[in-house]
Amino acid sequence: MDWMMMAKVAWPLLLLLGALIVGSLLEKRHYASILKREAQLHHIVVVVSRFPSEQFGSQFLVTGSVVVSSDYFRRTLAMFRQIFGGNVKSYESMLDRGRREALLRMKAQAAGQGANAVFNIKLETSSLSQTDNGKGALGTVEVLAYGTAGTLADEV
């Protein structure tokens, strides 16, 4: 195998390895940030119920939105996973981070406006990485969390 042939084979492998290392480090850092902020905002009560308590006052809409992408290595693994079927764990992690980040941003907005509870929360997810034929691999998603924030006189 000559030098040029080795370079052609090694370059994509190095790119995948770099994506794996950098993507893993960024994901770990993001999860650490999520855990820290979840601990800081644990006093904000989040309830799925549509009907809040009668003691729920000064209601207003709060939202939290995030766009999360997976790294190139995980997208490549997911493409292979689509051949054989089964869970695509790399996308599960991406969606988990997206949902938790969107909820945190919604709770931060609620806390910033003096609320101590959010009722009737909803999560919506949409893919931003469709190809021209509409069959593109999932790689970038937007997650939107929204609900009705307000103050509860007593804890739920």
Side-chain angles (χ1 to χ4, degrees):
M1 188 180 278
D2 67 350
W3 171 247
M4 290 299 288
M5 183 63 131
M6 286 178 57
K8 287 181 181 177
V9 172
W11 181 246
L13 293 176
L14 287 174
L15 184 63
L16 284 173
L17 181 63
L20 172 65
I21 292 169
V22 172
S24 295
L25 289 173
L26 291 174
E27 183 178 270
K28 284 181 183 176
R29 189 165 54 175
H30 189 210
Y31 267 122
S33 169
I34 286 172
L35 289 173
K36 180 180 175 185
R37 288 179 292 139
E38 283 176 342
Q40 292 171 343
L41 293 170
H42 78 281
H43 65 283
I44 303 289
V45 177
V46 176
V47 182
V48 179
S49 171
R50 288 182 68 183
F51 306 105
S53 160
E54 292 182 12
Q55 300 169 345
F56 190 61
S58 65
Q59 301 171 14
F60 52 91
L61 176 70
V62 287
T63 62
S65 176
V66 65
V67 176
V68 181
S69 181
S70 64
D71 60 66
Y72 188 72
F73 179 78
R74 291 188 177 145
R75 283 187 208 177
T76 304
L77 284 181
M79 286 188 324
F80 287 116
R81 192 65 174 170
Q82 289 176 348
I83 294 171
F84 303 107
N87 290 343
V88 183
K89 291 191 177 200
S90 59
Y91 288 160
E92 289 176 352
S93 170
M94 177 181 65
L95 289 170
D96 178 56
R97 288 187 300 129
R99 289 184 192 118
R100 291 170 73 176
E101 181 68 37
L103 286 171
L104 279 170
R105 291 180 182 187
M106 181 191 71
K107 288 173 81 174
Q109 184 183 18
Q113 296 182 15
N116 64 1
V118 181
F119 275 86
N120 195 20
I121 63 158
K122 304 286 185 202
L123 288 168
E124 294 191 18
T125 305
S126 61
S127 174
L128 299 178
S129 56
Q130 295 291 325
T131 59
D132 291 339
N133 62 8
K135 295 182 177 179
L138 180 69
T140 304
V141 294
E142 177 192 23
V143 181
L144 172 67
Y146 59 96
T148 304
T151 53
L152 276 175
D154 297 323
E155 299 220 359
V156 176

